[in-house]
Structures are given as C-alpha cells and as structure tokens.
Coordinates of all heavy atoms in Angstrom, one line a residue:
P8 N -13.1 -21.8 -29.1 CA -13.6 -21.5 -30.4 C -14.9 -20.6 -30.3 O -15.7 -20.8 -29.4 CB -13.9 -22.9 -31.0 CG -13.3 -23.9 -30.1 CD -13.1 -23.3 -28.8
V9 N -15.0 -19.7 -31.2 CA -16.2 -18.9 -31.2 C -16.8 -18.8 -32.7 O -16.1 -18.7 -33.7 CB -15.7 -17.4 -30.9 CG1 -16.9 -16.4 -31.1 CG2 -15.2 -17.3 -29.5
I10 N -18.2 -19.1 -32.6 CA -19.0 -19.0 -33.9 C -19.8 -17.8 -33.7 O -20.6 -17.6 -32.8 CB -19.9 -20.3 -34.0 CG1 -19.0 -21.6 -34.0 CG2 -20.7 -20.1 -35.3 CD1 -19.8 -22.8 -34.0
G11 N -19.7 -16.9 -34.7 CA -20.5 -15.6 -34.7 C -21.5 -15.6 -35.9 O -21.1 -15.9 -37.0
V12 N -22.7 -15.5 -35.5 CA -23.8 -15.7 -36.6 C -24.5 -14.2 -36.8 O -24.9 -13.7 -35.8 CB -25.0 -16.6 -36.1 CG1 -26.1 -16.7 -37.1 CG2 -24.4 -18.0 -35.8
S13 N -24.3 -13.8 -38.0 CA -24.9 -12.6 -38.4 C -24.5 -11.4 -37.5 O -23.2 -11.1 -37.5 CB -26.5 -12.7 -38.4 OG -27.1 -11.5 -39.0
T14 N -25.3 -10.7 -36.8 CA -24.9 -9.7 -35.8 C -23.9 -10.2 -34.9 O -22.9 -9.5 -34.5 CB -26.2 -9.1 -35.2 OG1 -26.9 -8.4 -36.1 CG2 -25.7 -8.0 -34.2
G15 N -24.1 -11.4 -34.3 CA -23.1 -12.0 -33.5 C -21.7 -12.1 -34.2 O -20.7 -12.0 -33.4
G16 N -21.8 -12.3 -35.5 CA -20.5 -12.3 -36.1 C -19.8 -11.0 -36.2 O -18.6 -11.0 -36.2
S17 N -20.5 -9.9 -36.3 CA -20.0 -8.6 -36.2 C -19.2 -8.4 -34.9 O -18.1 -7.9 -34.9 CB -21.0 -7.6 -36.3 OG -21.7 -7.7 -37.5
I18 N -19.8 -8.8 -33.8 CA -19.3 -8.7 -32.5 C -18.0 -9.7 -32.4 O -16.9 -9.2 -31.8 CB -20.3 -8.9 -31.4 CG1 -21.4 -7.9 -31.5 CG2 -19.6 -8.9 -30.0 CD1 -22.6 -8.4 -30.7
A19 N -18.1 -10.9 -32.9 CA -17.1 -11.8 -32.8 C -15.8 -11.4 -33.5 O -14.7 -11.6 -33.1 CB -17.6 -13.1 -33.4
Q20 N -15.9 -10.6 -34.6 CA -14.8 -10.1 -35.3 C -14.0 -9.1 -34.4 O -12.8 -9.2 -34.4 CB -15.2 -9.4 -36.5 CG -15.8 -10.2 -37.6 CD -16.4 -9.4 -38.8 OE1 -15.8 -8.5 -39.4 NE2 -17.7 -9.7 -39.0
L21 N -14.7 -8.3 -33.7 CA -14.0 -7.3 -32.7 C -13.5 -8.1 -31.6 O -12.3 -7.7 -31.1 CB -15.0 -6.3 -32.3 CG -15.7 -5.4 -33.4 CD1 -16.7 -4.4 -32.8 CD2 -14.6 -4.6 -34.0
L22 N -14.2 -9.0 -31.1 CA -13.6 -9.9 -30.0 C -12.4 -10.6 -30.3 O -11.3 -10.5 -29.6 CB -14.7 -10.9 -29.5 CG -14.3 -12.0 -28.6 CD1 -14.0 -11.3 -27.2 CD2 -15.3 -13.1 -28.4
A23 N -12.3 -11.2 -31.5 CA -11.1 -11.9 -31.9 C -10.0 -10.9 -32.3 O -8.8 -11.3 -32.1 CB -11.4 -12.7 -33.2
A24 N -10.2 -9.8 -32.8 CA -9.2 -8.8 -33.3 C -8.6 -8.2 -32.0 O -7.4 -8.0 -31.9 CB -9.8 -7.8 -34.2
R25 N -9.4 -7.9 -31.0 CA -8.9 -7.1 -29.9 C -8.5 -8.0 -28.6 O -7.9 -7.4 -27.7 CB -10.0 -6.0 -29.5 CG -10.3 -5.1 -30.7 CD -11.0 -3.9 -30.4 NE -11.2 -3.1 -31.6 CZ -11.7 -1.9 -31.6 NH1 -11.8 -1.2 -30.5 NH2 -11.9 -1.2 -32.8
H26 N -9.1 -9.2 -28.7 CA -8.6 -10.1 -27.5 C -8.3 -11.5 -28.2 O -8.9 -12.5 -28.0 CB -9.8 -10.2 -26.6 CG -10.1 -9.1 -25.8 ND1 -9.5 -8.7 -24.7 CD2 -11.1 -8.2 -26.2 CE1 -10.0 -7.5 -24.3 NE2 -10.9 -7.2 -25.1
P27 N -7.2 -11.4 -28.9 CA -6.8 -12.8 -29.7 C -6.5 -13.9 -28.6 O -6.5 -15.0 -29.1 CB -5.5 -12.3 -30.4 CG -5.0 -11.1 -29.8 CD -6.2 -10.4 -29.2
E28 N -6.1 -13.5 -27.5 CA -5.8 -14.5 -26.5 C -7.0 -15.4 -26.0 O -6.9 -16.4 -25.4 CB -5.1 -13.9 -25.2 CG -6.0 -13.2 -24.3 CD -6.4 -11.8 -24.9 OE1 -6.1 -11.4 -25.9 OE2 -7.1 -11.1 -24.1
L29 N -8.2 -14.8 -26.3 CA -9.4 -15.6 -25.9 C -10.1 -16.5 -26.9 O -11.0 -17.2 -26.6 CB -10.4 -14.5 -25.5 CG -10.0 -13.7 -24.2 CD1 -11.1 -12.7 -23.9 CD2 -9.7 -14.6 -23.0
V30 N -9.7 -16.4 -28.2 CA -10.3 -16.9 -29.3 C -9.3 -17.9 -30.0 O -8.4 -17.5 -30.6 CB -10.8 -16.0 -30.3 CG1 -11.6 -16.7 -31.5 CG2 -11.8 -15.0 -29.7
S31 N -9.6 -19.2 -29.9 CA -8.7 -20.3 -30.6 C -9.0 -20.5 -32.0 O -8.1 -20.7 -32.8 CB -8.8 -21.5 -29.8 OG -10.1 -22.1 -29.8
R32 N -10.3 -20.4 -32.4 CA -10.8 -20.6 -33.7 C -12.0 -19.7 -33.9 O -12.8 -19.5 -32.9 CB -11.1 -22.0 -34.2 CG -9.8 -22.9 -34.4 CD -10.2 -24.3 -34.8 NE -9.0 -25.0 -35.1 CZ -8.4 -25.1 -36.3 NH1 -9.0 -24.5 -37.3 NH2 -7.3 -25.8 -36.5
L33 N -12.2 -19.2 -35.1 CA -13.2 -18.2 -35.3 C -14.0 -18.6 -36.6 O -13.4 -19.0 -37.6 CB -12.7 -16.7 -35.6 CG -13.8 -15.7 -35.9 CD1 -14.7 -15.4 -34.8 CD2 -13.0 -14.4 -36.3
V34 N -15.3 -18.7 -36.4 CA -16.2 -19.0 -37.5 C -17.2 -17.9 -37.7 O -17.9 -17.5 -36.7 CB -17.0 -20.4 -37.3 CG1 -17.9 -20.6 -38.5 CG2 -16.1 -21.5 -37.1
L35 N -17.4 -17.4 -38.8 CA -18.3 -16.3 -39.2 C -19.4 -16.7 -40.1 O -19.0 -17.2 -41.2 CB -17.6 -15.0 -39.7 CG -16.5 -14.4 -38.9 CD1 -15.8 -13.3 -39.7 CD2 -16.9 -14.0 -37.6
V36 N -20.5 -16.9 -39.7 CA -21.7 -17.4 -40.4 C -22.6 -16.3 -40.9 O -23.2 -15.7 -40.0 CB -22.5 -18.5 -39.7 CG1 -23.4 -19.2 -40.6 CG2 -21.4 -19.5 -39.2
S37 N -22.8 -16.1 -42.2 CA -23.7 -15.1 -42.7 C -23.4 -13.8 -42.0 O -24.2 -13.1 -41.4 CB -25.2 -15.4 -42.4 OG -25.6 -16.4 -43.2
S38 N -22.1 -13.4 -41.9 CA -21.6 -12.2 -41.4 C -20.4 -11.7 -42.1 O -19.6 -12.5 -42.6 CB -21.3 -12.5 -39.9 OG -20.9 -11.3 -39.2
A39 N -20.2 -10.4 -42.1 CA -19.0 -9.8 -42.8 C -18.6 -8.6 -42.0 O -19.2 -8.2 -41.0 CB -19.4 -9.5 -44.3
C40 N -17.6 -7.9 -42.6 CA -16.9 -6.8 -42.0 C -17.9 -5.6 -41.8 O -17.6 -4.6 -41.0 CB -15.6 -6.5 -42.5 SG -15.8 -6.0 -44.4
R41 N -18.9 -5.5 -42.5 CA -20.0 -4.5 -42.5 C -21.2 -4.9 -43.2 O -21.1 -5.8 -44.1 CB -19.4 -3.1 -43.0 CG -19.1 -3.2 -44.5 CD -18.5 -1.9 -44.8 NE -18.1 -1.9 -46.3 CZ -16.8 -2.4 -46.6 NH1 -15.9 -2.8 -45.6 NH2 -16.4 -2.5 -47.8
L42 N -22.3 -4.3 -42.9 CA -23.6 -4.5 -43.7 C -23.5 -4.0 -45.0 O -22.7 -2.9 -45.2 CB -24.7 -4.0 -42.9 CG -25.2 -4.7 -41.6 CD1 -26.2 -3.8 -40.8 CD2 -25.8 -6.0 -41.9
S43 N -24.2 -4.5 -46.0 CA -24.3 -3.8 -47.3 C -25.3 -2.7 -47.1 O -26.0 -2.6 -46.0 CB -24.9 -4.8 -48.2 OG -26.2 -5.2 -47.9
A44 N -25.4 -1.8 -48.0 CA -26.4 -0.7 -47.9 C -27.8 -1.1 -47.8 O -28.6 -0.6 -47.0 CB -26.3 0.2 -49.2
G45 N -28.1 -2.2 -48.5 CA -29.5 -2.9 -48.4 C -29.6 -3.4 -47.0 O -30.8 -3.3 -46.5
G46 N -28.7 -4.1 -46.4 CA -28.7 -4.6 -45.2 C -29.0 -3.6 -44.0 O -29.8 -3.7 -43.2
R47 N -28.3 -2.4 -44.2 CA -28.5 -1.4 -43.3 C -30.0 -0.9 -43.4 O -30.7 -0.5 -42.4 CB -27.6 -0.2 -43.5 CG -26.2 -0.5 -43.0 CD -25.3 0.7 -43.0 NE -25.2 1.4 -44.3 CZ -24.1 1.0 -45.1 NH1 -23.3 0.1 -44.7 NH2 -24.0 1.6 -46.2
R48 N -30.5 -0.7 -44.6 CA -31.9 -0.2 -44.8 C -32.9 -1.2 -44.1 O -33.8 -0.8 -43.4 CB -32.2 -0.1 -46.2 CG -31.7 1.1 -46.9 CD -32.3 1.3 -48.2 NE -32.1 0.2 -49.3 CZ -31.0 0.2 -50.0 NH1 -30.1 1.1 -50.0 NH2 -30.8 -0.9 -50.8
V49 N -32.7 -2.5 -44.3 CA -33.5 -3.5 -43.7 C -33.5 -3.5 -42.2 O -34.6 -3.4 -41.5 CB -33.1 -4.9 -44.1 CG1 -33.9 -5.9 -43.3 CG2 -33.4 -5.2 -45.5
Q50 N -32.4 -3.3 -41.5 CA -32.2 -3.2 -40.1 C -32.8 -1.8 -39.6 O -33.4 -1.9 -38.5 CB -30.9 -3.4 -39.6 CG -30.4 -4.9 -39.9 CD -29.2 -5.3 -39.0 OE1 -28.9 -6.4 -38.9 NE2 -28.6 -4.4 -38.2
R51 N -32.7 -0.8 -40.4 CA -33.3 0.4 -39.9 C -34.8 0.4 -39.9 O -35.5 0.9 -39.0 CB -32.9 1.6 -40.8 CG -31.4 2.0 -40.6 CD -31.0 3.0 -41.8 NE -29.5 3.2 -41.7 CZ -28.9 3.9 -42.7 NH1 -29.5 4.3 -43.7 NH2 -27.6 4.1 -42.6
D52 N -35.4 -0.3 -41.0 CA -36.9 -0.5 -41.0 C -37.3 -1.4 -39.7 O -38.3 -1.1 -39.1 CB -37.2 -1.1 -42.3 CG -37.2 -0.2 -43.4 OD1 -37.2 1.0 -43.3 OD2 -37.2 -0.8 -44.6
L53 N -36.5 -2.4 -39.5 CA -36.8 -3.3 -38.3 C -36.9 -2.4 -37.0 O -37.9 -2.5 -36.2 CB -35.8 -4.3 -38.2 CG -35.6 -5.1 -36.9 CD1 -36.9 -6.0 -36.6 CD2 -34.4 -6.0 -36.8
A54 N -35.9 -1.5 -36.8 CA -35.8 -0.7 -35.6 C -37.0 0.3 -35.7 O -37.5 0.5 -34.6 CB -34.4 0.0 -35.5
R55 N -37.2 1.0 -36.8 CA -38.2 1.9 -36.8 C -39.6 1.4 -36.5 O -40.4 2.0 -35.7 CB -38.3 2.6 -38.2 CG -39.4 3.6 -38.4 CD -39.2 4.4 -39.7 NE -39.0 3.6 -40.9 CZ -40.1 3.3 -41.7 NH1 -41.3 3.7 -41.3 NH2 -39.8 2.6 -42.7

C-alpha cells in the first residue's frame, strides 16, 4: 500500500500508473492530478 501526501501524492500517481505491480492500494491525501493555478503560484514563490 502507498499513501501519497501532497507532492508525494503527485509522485505516487505516476508510481501506481507506471508500476501497477508494486502498489496494492493507493491513498492520495491533499493531492490531485495537477496543481491549481493558485497552487503553482504559491510553490513558485516558495522556490523564488
């Protein structure tokens, strides 16, 4: 089983999609298939 949290959930989606043999159950917590426009702005400010 894999629990992906936020950014970890982004990675977990790719892990489960491309290596289904390694993930028996998937939980995505506060994570979705992409960031919102606002979420990207926040993370860009963090990095800057």
Side-chain angles (χ1 to χ4, degrees):
V9 174
I10 302 172
V12 180
S13 191
T14 297
S17 298
I18 300 169
Q20 293 169 57
L21 297 175
L22 172 67
R25 305 194 180 194
H26 294 278
E28 75 282 1
L29 298 179
V30 181
S31 60
R32 286 183 176 264
L33 177 65
V34 181
L35 304 175
V36 185
S37 292
S38 184
C40 58
R41 59 184 173 276
L42 288 166
S43 67
R47 287 195 296 272
R48 284 194 298 270
V49 171
Q50 292 204 168
R51 288 171 186 170
D52 285 344
L53 167 64
R55 176 165 57 89

